[in-house]
Amino acid sequence: MKFNTKTIHGGQHHDPSTGAVMPPVYQTSTFVQTSPGKPLNPEYEYSRAANPTRTALENALASIENGARGLAFSSGLAATDCLLRLFKAGDEIIAMDDLYGGTYRLFTRLYKDSGIKFHFVDMNDLDGFQKLINENTKLVWVETPTNPLMKLADIEAIAQITKKHNILFAVDNTFATPYLQKPLDLGADIVMHSATKYLGGHSDVIAGALIIKDKALGEELHFKQFATGATLGPQDSFLVLRGIKTLHLRVQRHCENGAKVAEFLQNHPKVERVYYPGLENHPFHEIAKKQMIGGFGGMVTFTFKTGKKEDAISFLEKVNVFTLAESLGGVESLANHPALMTHASIPEDKRKEIGITDDLVRLSVGIEDVEDLIEDLKQALA
Ligand SMILES: *Cc1c(COP(=O)(O)O)cnc(C)c1O
């Protein structure tokens, strides 16, 4: 089955009891047993362990990312937290040095006293990265493209190294989506999503996902999810599943509009720098062409010629079609100030070090008519 068919049919079955074409929202916490320890349907006894609406979503997730097991969580961070439970004191994790703010907060603050050691490195310096590997290294964590600086990491090249050393390799695929990039096919072991973003696609749900290539590891993570409980409810599972059915169409338009917005900004006299993997002058354009198939996404970040925070703020107060709000990946265009909003949890010196300056604006380009988006940017920049 090809990708566009998978988004609609992958892992899906008509409801066996009624023939319903869409999986019903099984709004139930528990399931009947015919005799103690004998559920009527052996797959379902309590919804923290499994719920049929969530199962339908998890099967769709596994299908579109080409994994053996999908797991749906109550948020992207809950998914990452579940993955971290595979590790113990003394283990080391190597992560990319430009991460979603909440992921960074989880690694550095919540797991500060866990005894797990985190390294944050430039994943494009493969030699430097390899030098950090030792017998305690258990996981490599990469986000590509990154939020908000659109840095890329070469998934295939990193996978060759992690395989050689028998280290798990996880990729946060939130920005690219499986429509553009399939980390498991490129050699990664686990894909993580904030399904709140493009998978859900309509800014109406908080959800997360892990998709695991190896079935046994998938079951181990399912056990951890079941034992800790940050599962996705049936209504929210339904919404994400519904979102996935149009993922391919939406991402196509996000890519078209994103490319046009990036080009407009690049030619605007008030704009200093545009970060978009589709631009030929983007430092990671070659990696993008290699591993992002069919487009470069809808996320565009830029800075002002003046370098002034006030200019970024004034721009963000003036946009009309773009909405000033956190989050991304929905059908509507959003604008965000990372230093004051999504990435405020990263200390200022660290932000400066990685390049999240105070004049940096991040756009999530939606699927509206691109002429309206560009008009809006024009008037807000003026
Ligand atoms: C939003 C986001 C997360 C966190 O997901 P939540 O659903 O908000 O918990 C992780 N990674 C990236 C790249 C994100 O954009």
Side-chain angles (χ1 to χ4, degrees):
M1 216 187 264
K2 291 170 73 176
F3 186 81
N4 297 345
T5 312
K6 278 188 179 179
T7 62
I8 296 164
H9 298 292
Q12 302 307 299
H13 310 283
H14 304 319
D15 182 55
S17 57
T18 62
V21 169
M22 277 301 287
V25 179
Y26 282 93
Q27 199 73 54
T28 184
S29 59
T30 191
F31 300 82
V32 70
Q33 310 206 1
T34 51
S35 172
K38 292 210 168 59
L40 180 65
N41 178 332
E43 280 181 58
Y44 301 107
E45 51 190 57
Y46 187 61
S47 282
R48 174 157 36 72
N51 172 285
T53 318
R54 192 166 83 239
T55 302
L57 169 62
E58 291 178 339
N59 290 341
L61 290 165
S63 170
I64 59 175
E65 285 282 9
N66 297 336
R69 182 72 157 100
L71 294 170
F73 292 85
S74 53
S75 74
L77 287 176
T80 304
D81 184 52
C82 182
L83 174 61
L84 290 176
R85 289 175 189 276
L86 288 173
F87 309 106
K88 59 179 191 322
D91 289 347
E92 296 187 19
I93 294 176
I94 302 177
M96 193 153 163
D97 61 358
D98 183 26
L99 295 177
Y100 173 71
T103 306
Y104 183 79
R105 180 176 52 211
L106 183 65
F107 287 2
T108 55
R109 287 174 58 187
L110 244 80
Y111 280 80
K112 186 162 65 87
D113 301 321
S114 66
I116 301 171
K117 190 167 174 187
F118 291 87
H119 303 270
F120 296 92
V121 301
D122 177 357
M123 279 293 170
N124 286 286
D125 173 10
L126 290 179
D127 291 336
F129 151 58
Q130 283 190 82
K131 283 200 189 99
L132 279 175
I133 294 175
N134 62 49
E135 74 276 10
N136 296 323
T137 311
K138 295 289 154 62
L139 175 74
V140 169
W141 176 275
V142 158
E143 192 179 312
T144 181
T146 62
N147 180 358
L149 292 170
M150 311 304 290
K151 281 195 200 168
L152 270 71
D154 187 332
I155 298 173
E156 211 169 7
I158 294 169
Q160 278 171 11
I161 297 166
T162 54
K163 279 206 164 56
K164 200 166 76 193
H165 296 276
N166 219 359
I167 301 166
L168 285 175
F169 178 22
V171 176
D172 180 339
N173 204 28
T174 301
F175 267 39
T177 82
Y179 177 75
L180 299 175
Q181 174 171 283
K182 295 194 187 58
L184 300 185
D185 290 358
L186 296 170
D189 303 294
I190 300 157
V191 165
M192 174 266 164
H193 274 281
S194 170
T196 312
K197 317 294 168 57
Y198 287 102
L199 296 187
H202 296 75
S203 304
D204 52 10
V205 63
I206 298 282
L210 293 178
I211 299 100
I212 305 100
K213 185 150 68 182
D214 178 68
K215 200 163 172 29
L217 180 61
E219 289 318 316
E220 191 179 343
L221 283 164
H222 173 253
F223 174 75
K224 292 190 191 297
Q225 181 197 40
F226 157 70
T228 53
T231 53
L232 194 64
Q235 179 71 34
D236 289 350
S237 296
F238 178 87
L239 287 172
V240 176
L241 185 61
R242 182 180 177 147
I244 287 174
K245 288 179 190 291
T246 55
L247 178 69
H248 50 304
L249 294 176
R250 287 184 287 107
V251 177
Q252 263 173 32
R253 182 60 64 83
H254 283 294
C255 290
E256 286 168 25
N257 288 358
K260 285 182 185 149
V261 163
E263 195 189 309
F264 163 77
L265 288 170
Q266 193 170 38
N267 294 319
H268 196 283
K270 288 195 177 163
V271 171
E272 172 70 18
R273 188 156 171 203
V274 181
Y275 301 81
Y276 184 69
L279 293 174
E280 277 181 24
N281 64 6
H282 188 72
F284 304 104
H285 182 61
E286 289 309 312
I287 302 178
K289 276 199 299 195
K290 192 173 83 160
Q291 71 190 15
M292 296 177 76
I293 306 301
F296 302 101
M299 298 303 298
V300 183
T301 301
F302 71 97
T303 58
F304 288 79
K305 275 254 156 68
T306 58
K308 284 201 181 127
K309 179 185 192 173
E310 295 71 41
D311 284 347
I313 291 175
S314 147
F315 166 85
L316 289 165
E317 285 171 354
K318 289 194 180 80
V319 286
N320 294 319
V321 184
F322 280 83
T323 301
L324 176 59
E326 295 195 2
S327 201
L328 59 107
V331 290
E332 70 292 307
S333 291
L334 298 179
N336 161 56
H337 189 275
L340 291 175
M341 296 164 66
T342 45
H343 290 66
S345 59
I346 300 178
E348 191 179 347
D349 53 333
K350 185 82 198 157
R351 276 203 311 264
K352 294 265 143 64
E353 191 187 310
I354 56 184
I356 305 178
T357 52
D358 288 346
D359 66 330
L360 190 88
V361 167
R362 186 192 78 187
L363 302 176
S364 171
V365 181
I367 63 172
E368 301 95 337
D369 280 311
V370 73
E371 294 80 7
D372 290 330
L373 299 179
I374 287 177
E375 270 317 304
D376 190 35
L377 297 173
K378 229 182 237 170
Q379 65 79 24
L381 283 165

